[in-house]
Amino acid sequence: MSTTLSRRTRTSSALASISGFAAAWMAMMATRYFALSADDINGGIGIGVDEGSWLSTAYSACEPIGVILGCWLSIGLSIRRVLLASVAVFIVAMLLPVVAPGFMILLISRALTGLAAGGILPLSILTQLRVFGPTWRPLAIGIYASSTTMGPQLAAGIDAWIVQRYGWTAVLWASLAPGLVSFATGFVGLWKDPIRWRPLLRTDLAGLTSLATGLGLFVCGVSQGDRLRWFQAPLIPAFLTAAAACFALFLTHESRHIRYPVVFIGLARSWNLAVGALCTFPLELATIFSGAIVPSALAQLQGFRPEQIAPALTEALWPQLISYTACIIGLSTRLMETRAILVTGLCVIAIGCFFDLPITSDWIVANLDTAQVLQGIGLPLIIVPLLQMFVGEVVPREGVHAASIFNVCRSLSGTIATAWATTSLRLHGESKYSELLSNTGLYPHGHETILATIAAHASHASADPMRVHLQAVQIVAEAARRQATALGVSDTLSDLGWILFASCALAILMAKLGNGHPEQPSGTTR
């Protein structure tokens, strides 16, 4: 009898792990589907870039709110009920535009998928940690982390293939298979914990409302900042000011020591948790190397579509298999100190950025291979030790709140990092463009030699001097634009590399590691 029960327990645990794994991969891959196919989706529903930007904003604004709601509900309703409900909402929301296509329906769909993904990601890591226990914690973290770093890379190839063959609506169906796998395995394998009514009946509604509102307003302000040129538009300061007011209300309210808080901010007193939360920003900066900068460079320099960009992104996929394996073995056997692995990961990706500094307007996917491989090696070396050090300070009863804090910080850091990359590419590109044009004769007091030379070469094609001049202007402007884009990408990558190198200081400042022993104060050993 005991042997049969043991087998059933192992089977249920395996199914629970698969459920959390499939749910996290579904959520992260869907994000890349929409990012790569944004132009196709906008064209498919008949909207422009400005309106389309609100689709990504709706997802980004609702994701941290979903983290808060999902973790809070799981305390009372259990991981099983909330995770399965989140997966179901995600699938239904993804398929909603298939039934009723249009901008408003797609906007609602993106908001709902953001809420559902926010609930899925923290519960996924809690599921893995509960399945594997403290002994196999690095393996549990690696399984969860793979969705964050490998899922988007794998999604690039899948997105290119299905959109090219079946159109943009295929991205709406792509999450169905992993969603059904997650729901089916979770329904059988996840733990059937009883409902705890007291935390639900004594809900901190004031804290929930103020925090959720502040998160939504902050993300709206940051994600729309570059499009509206930040403080040149009154909407962005209004968003950020209102968000700051909401955060102030939340902190004031939480200082009263609420019995059942939405987020236990007292965990921030733990050194490694506080510094680990800050380290989510360099983690997201490392992710946008191929998540935002590489696709933008290939699209602007060569006019590549997703199917042409995908090989560059998938090049960062296979090295992660090797890196994850080495990282998990190193942490499990304690062959390397955790902070040393984290510093190594940051440095490897920073070096990858510097490999792409010589980028020119002629670069194609093959020229980016070395840097992409380095990114694939470096990402697991950042996220696995970071999570290992983060959860090393947490006792089981604090696990939900710690997962909530980490994933909210990760979501906000991702929004900030993307906004930084977009703004940096634009500002560096504009600066280089002006500098180049000032030497072509297009600007007053500029040198006329280049423009005059091109006009002289084109004069044999037309007797109209004005037409020849306009053709020369067009040739020079396009060449300057491409060259300015390449120089802007190079400057942005240089900034990113130095920021990642500087971020090593955060890793060094972290305590030596609880090593899964939260009873050891993190500040005692440096």
Side-chain angles (χ1 to χ4, degrees):
M1 177 66 74
S2 60
T3 303
T4 303
L5 290 175
S6 178
R7 288 176 180 174
R8 289 179 180 176
T9 301
R10 287 197 296 268
T11 302
S12 296
S13 296
L15 291 174
S17 178
I18 293 171
S19 178
F21 175 81
W25 275 70
M26 173 189 68
M28 296 307 300
M29 291 175 73
T31 304
R32 179 55 60 90
Y33 294 149
F34 275 87
L36 282 177
S37 300
D39 292 339
D40 291 321
I41 293 171
N42 293 345
I45 61 177
I47 61 173
V49 175
D50 290 341
E51 286 179 290
S53 67
W54 285 102
L55 296 176
S56 61
T57 295
Y59 181 95
S60 300
C62 291
E63 185 184 9
I65 299 174
V67 172
I68 300 298
L69 288 173
C71 290
W72 163 64
L73 288 173
S74 70
I75 294 174
L77 297 179
S78 78
I79 291 177
R80 180 179 189 270
R81 293 181 179 90
V82 179
L83 182 57
L84 292 181
S86 298
V87 171
V89 170
F90 194 97
I91 295 173
V92 172
M94 286 290 290
L95 296 178
L96 192 60
V98 176
V99 180
F103 174 69
M104 287 307 302
I105 295 298
L106 193 55
L107 187 67
I108 294 171
S109 169
R110 295 298 290 152
L112 289 175
T113 52
L115 284 172
I120 287 170
L121 293 174
L123 300 185
S124 174
I125 187 173
L126 290 175
T127 299
Q128 304 299 345
L129 291 172
R130 185 169 173 178
V131 167
F132 290 95
T135 305
W136 295 96
R137 181 170 287 167
L139 178 59
I141 291 172
I143 291 174
Y144 163 76
S146 65
S147 65
T148 303
T149 60
M150 297 179 69
Q153 312 296 352
L154 179 62
I158 296 175
D159 173 83
W161 187 82
I162 61 176
V163 172
Q164 192 175 23
R165 284 162 178 77
Y166 305 109
W168 71 270
T169 54
V171 302
L172 304 175
W173 292 93
S175 300
L176 182 60
L180 292 178
V181 170
S182 175
F183 192 90
T185 54
F187 187 84
V188 176
L190 288 170
W191 310 274
K192 298 179 180 179
D193 298 328
I195 296 177
R196 298 174 58 213
W197 291 105
R198 182 171 294 181
L200 299 177
L201 295 176
R202 298 186 179 182
T203 302
D204 180 19
L205 290 177
L208 178 62
T209 303
S210 58
L211 180 58
T213 305
L215 290 172
L217 290 171
F218 177 79
V219 172
C220 286
V222 173
S223 63
Q224 291 290 321
D226 182 66
R227 184 179 71 85
L228 298 177
R229 299 301 185 263
W230 295 100
F231 294 100
Q232 296 179 22
L235 187 62
I236 303 304
F239 274 141
L240 298 180
T241 302
C246 290
F247 289 144
L249 288 174
F250 171 74
L251 293 174
T252 302
H253 176 73
E254 293 300 312
S255 65
R256 300 174 183 175
H257 304 290
I258 306 300
R259 184 167 185 179
Y260 295 105
V262 176
V263 175
F264 183 35
I265 58 176
L267 286 177
R269 298 189 187 98
S270 174
W271 179 257
N272 273 6
L273 259 72
V275 180
L278 294 176
C279 280
T280 58
F281 183 61
L283 167 64
E284 293 301 320
L285 282 176
T287 303
I288 65 164
F289 180 14
S290 66
I293 297 177
V294 168
S296 176
L298 291 174
Q300 293 187 51
L301 291 175
Q302 306 296 349
F304 280 3
R305 284 185 45 77
E307 61 269 18
Q308 297 164 308
I309 296 173
L313 304 187
T314 53
E315 195 66 31
L317 180 62
W318 64 266
Q320 294 187 48
L321 296 172
I322 302 172
S323 190
Y324 268 116
T325 302
C327 191
I328 290 170
I329 293 174
L331 289 174
S332 298
T333 58
R334 302 188 183 182
L335 291 175
M336 289 187 65
E337 208 272 325
T338 312
R339 292 176 298 180
I341 299 176
L342 180 55
V343 169
T344 301
L346 291 169
C347 291
V348 166
I349 296 183
I351 293 171
C353 293
F354 293 151
F355 265 95
D356 282 351
L357 292 187
I359 186 172
T360 69
S361 57
D362 296 324
W363 273 36
I364 55 176
V365 170
N367 299 106
L368 302 167
D369 283 349
T370 302
Q372 290 299 98
V373 170
L374 288 174
Q375 192 195 31
I377 294 172
L379 282 176
L381 301 181
I382 297 176
I383 190 169
V384 175
L386 176 59
L387 278 167
Q388 174 81 344
M389 298 184 76
F390 195 87
V391 303
E393 300 295 325
V394 178
V395 295
R397 67 175 181 273
E398 300 170 337
V400 173
H401 293 293
S404 177
I405 291 172
F406 182 85
N407 280 277
V408 166
C409 292
R410 178 199 57 78
S411 178
L412 295 181
S413 295
T415 302
I416 296 171
T418 302
W420 172 84
T422 305
T423 302
S424 180
L425 287 170
R426 177 178 60 83
L427 293 179
H428 282 308
E430 290 176 352
S431 174
K432 297 299 182 182
Y433 191 57
S434 298
E435 183 179 342
L436 290 171
L437 290 184
S438 66
N439 295 312
T440 61
L442 293 180
Y443 282 179
H445 310 297
H447 301 290
E448 299 284 348
T449 55
I450 297 177
L451 197 61
T453 302
I454 295 176
H457 283 291
S459 60
H460 69 278
S462 175
D464 186 356
M466 181 57 69
R467 184 174 181 179
V468 171
H469 177 76
L470 291 176
Q471 288 177 341
V473 168
Q474 185 178 9
I475 293 171
V476 169
E478 176 59 22
R481 183 199 64 79
R482 293 187 66 207
Q483 184 63 27
T485 298
L487 293 172
V489 170
S490 179
D491 286 351
T492 300
L493 289 174
S494 176
D495 294 342
L496 178 58
W498 288 115
I499 292 173
L500 292 176
F501 273 131
S503 299
C504 293
L506 286 175
I508 295 171
L509 286 174
M510 297 181 81
K512 188 173 181 179
L513 174 62
N515 260 331
H517 304 290
E519 65 274 6
Q520 176 185 346
S522 64
T524 58
T525 304
R526 296 289 177 86

